[in-house]
Amino acid sequence: MCVEDRISNFSDHILCHILSFLPIKEAVRTSIISTKWRNLFASISIIEFDGDLLRRLTDRNIDSFKNFVDRLLKFPDQVRLDCFRLHDGISSWNDGDHDFDVSGWICAALCRGVKEIDLKLYNLGDVPPDVPPVLFTCHSLVNLTLVALGFKIEVPSDVCLGNLKTFYLESVFVCDSINRLISNCHVLEDLAFMYCSVANASELNIQSPSLKELTLYFDPPDIDQYSVVINAPNLVYFRYGGDIVRVYPLGNMKSLEKAQIYIWFGSETNAAHLYQGICNIRSLTLQISKEVFVCADFPNKSTSYIS
C-alpha cells in the first residue's frame, strides 16, 4: 500500500519551522529523506549546540564538527536566525590541537540578523578570545546571554544595541566601557550582572530609564574599591547577592515593588546604605550574615540574618 507523503508537500518555510524544534543532530538526519529535504536543515532559524551533543565529540570527529558548524552558519541563501545557542560540553575550546573559532561563529550569526545569542562557555582555554566588537553594534539582537569564563568585554565607542531587551553577563572580564554599553541599550528591560571580574573597572554605572529588572551578584576579591551607581527610575524588581559593594543613589527608584537582598560579607556601612534605599518597597526579602547584621546601622533590626 502506497502511503502519501503529505509532510513533504508543505512549503520549505513551514518545514524549516518544524525542523527548528528538533535537536540539530536530528534535523541534519532529515537530509536523507529525499532531494527536497537535502539542504533544508541549513535554513533552520534556531541553531543550538548543547552540552550533551558536544560531550560526544571525539578526536576523530571534532574537526568534522567544526567544519559542519562553519558551513551551517555560512550556508548560501541563508535565512535570518532567531537564535544561536552554544553551551559547553567539551574539556576545552582552545587546547592547541583543536581551536574553535567561537568569535567567528558569533560574527556569522550576527551577519544573519540573529535575534538571540546564548553562550555558556566555561572552558575557553588559557588564552580566551575577545568578544568580537561587532556584537555591540548589532541592531537585530533582542536577547544576549554571555556566560563565558575569561571572556573579555571591551565595548567600542560606537556601541548601539537599539533592540536589546535582555542582557545577562556572567563570569566575564569587564572594564568601565561596560557602562557605555548599558546606557546605549535604549529599550533594555532586564539586566543581570553575575560574578563578573571587575578588577579593571572602578564602577558599574547603570543609567537606564527603560530598565525594569536588575540582578547583581558580586564575589571577592575584586570588590573592595568597587561601587555601583543605579539610575533606573522605572525599575520594578531588584535582586542583589554576594558581597556588598557601595551602591547608590537608589533614591530615585520610586517604581520599585520587589527586592531580594542576600549579603554574605562586606562593609556594614554599605549594607545599611543599600537597605535604607529600598526599605519602603512593597515586598522585601532581606538575608544578611550575622557579622554584617550585628554591626550595621539598620533603621529596624527586626530583619532576619543568616548565621
Side-chain angles (χ1 to χ4, degrees):
M1 182 177 61
C2 180
V3 178
E4 183 181 359
D5 181 8
R6 294 185 178 181
I7 294 180
S8 294
N9 290 330
F10 290 150
S11 67
D12 288 356
H13 174 74
I14 294 177
L15 292 176
C16 288
H17 182 68
I18 294 173
L19 290 181
S20 294
F21 292 97
L22 296 177
I24 189 68
K25 186 176 180 180
E26 303 304 321
V28 172
R29 285 178 174 174
T30 63
S31 63
I32 65 172
I33 295 177
S34 68
T35 303
K36 177 181 176 67
W37 288 79
R38 182 172 298 167
N39 293 317
L40 276 179
F41 73 89
S43 297
I44 59 178
S45 60
I46 299 175
I47 296 180
E48 177 178 358
F49 299 103
D50 60 16
D52 183 61
L53 172 64
L54 296 174
R55 276 189 292 271
R56 298 180 184 180
L57 295 177
T58 65
D59 288 337
R60 291 194 306 173
N61 61 18
I62 199 167
D63 288 329
S64 297
F65 169 76
K66 291 194 301 180
N67 293 333
F68 167 73
V69 178
D70 287 339
R71 293 197 307 271
L72 183 61
L73 287 171
K74 303 170 185 177
F75 197 81
D77 302 323
Q78 303 153 326
V79 297
R80 295 178 68 88
L81 277 182
D82 288 330
C83 178
F84 175 58
R85 185 174 292 117
L86 185 63
H87 291 181
D88 252 349
I90 60 177
S91 58
S92 176
W93 291 95
N94 296 288
D95 58 7
D97 295 325
H98 304 286
D99 291 338
F100 290 80
D101 186 15
V102 176
S103 295
W105 292 351
I106 295 174
C107 290
L110 294 171
C111 289
R112 292 180 58 175
V114 66
K115 295 179 181 178
E116 177 180 354
I117 288 183
D118 182 355
L119 303 177
K120 294 181 180 178
L121 311 173
Y122 295 97
N123 301 304
L124 288 169
D126 296 332
V127 186
D130 292 335
V131 176
V134 68
L135 177 64
F136 304 117
T137 57
C138 179
H139 294 283
S140 64
L141 267 181
V142 177
N143 303 308
L144 175 59
T145 297
L146 283 177
V147 183
L149 189 61
F151 238 31
K152 302 173 185 176
I153 301 290
E154 278 284 357
V155 181
S157 58
D158 60 344
V159 56
C160 185
L161 293 171
N163 290 305
L164 192 70
K165 292 186 176 182
T166 302
F167 188 24
Y168 184 98
L169 271 179
E170 181 178 336
S171 302
V172 300
F173 287 102
V174 298
C175 62
D176 286 334
S177 66
I178 192 69
N179 300 323
R180 182 163 59 240
L181 171 60
I182 296 172
S183 63
N184 280 280
C185 296
H186 302 302
V187 296
L188 186 65
E189 296 181 356
D190 189 351
L191 172 65
F193 195 82
M194 308 286 290
Y195 303 116
C196 295
S197 175
V198 296
N200 296 320
S202 58
E203 98 177 355
L204 178 63
N205 194 329
I206 300 171
Q207 304 283 339
S208 179
S210 60
L211 197 64
K212 296 179 180 179
E213 295 189 21
L214 175 62
T215 302
L216 302 174
Y217 269 72
F218 291 99
D219 206 16
D222 296 333
I223 66 166
D224 292 342
Q225 304 300 321
Y226 199 65
S227 61
V228 176
V229 177
I230 302 175
N231 183 8
N234 293 305
L235 195 67
V236 176
Y237 173 58
F238 178 49
R239 187 178 186 187
Y240 186 100
D243 288 26
I244 187 67
V245 299
R246 290 171 292 178
V247 181
Y248 50 84
L250 292 173
N252 64 340
M253 297 198 299
K254 297 180 180 179
S255 297
L256 194 63
E257 296 180 1
K258 182 178 181 180
Q260 295 178 316
I261 310 297
Y262 308 95
I263 300 174
W264 318 131
F265 301 101
S267 162
E268 300 85 1
T269 302
N270 289 342
H273 186 102
L274 174 61
Y275 174 74
Q276 290 168 0
I278 60 174
C279 62
N280 293 321
I281 64 175
R282 183 180 305 172
S283 174
L284 173 62
T285 300
L286 181 62
Q287 294 183 340
I288 303 176
S289 65
K290 182 177 181 179
E291 292 78 9
V292 175
F293 177 81
V294 171
C295 299
D297 183 21
F298 291 119
N300 183 350
K301 283 205 172 183
S302 61
T303 306
S304 66
Y305 65 82
I306 303 171
S307 59

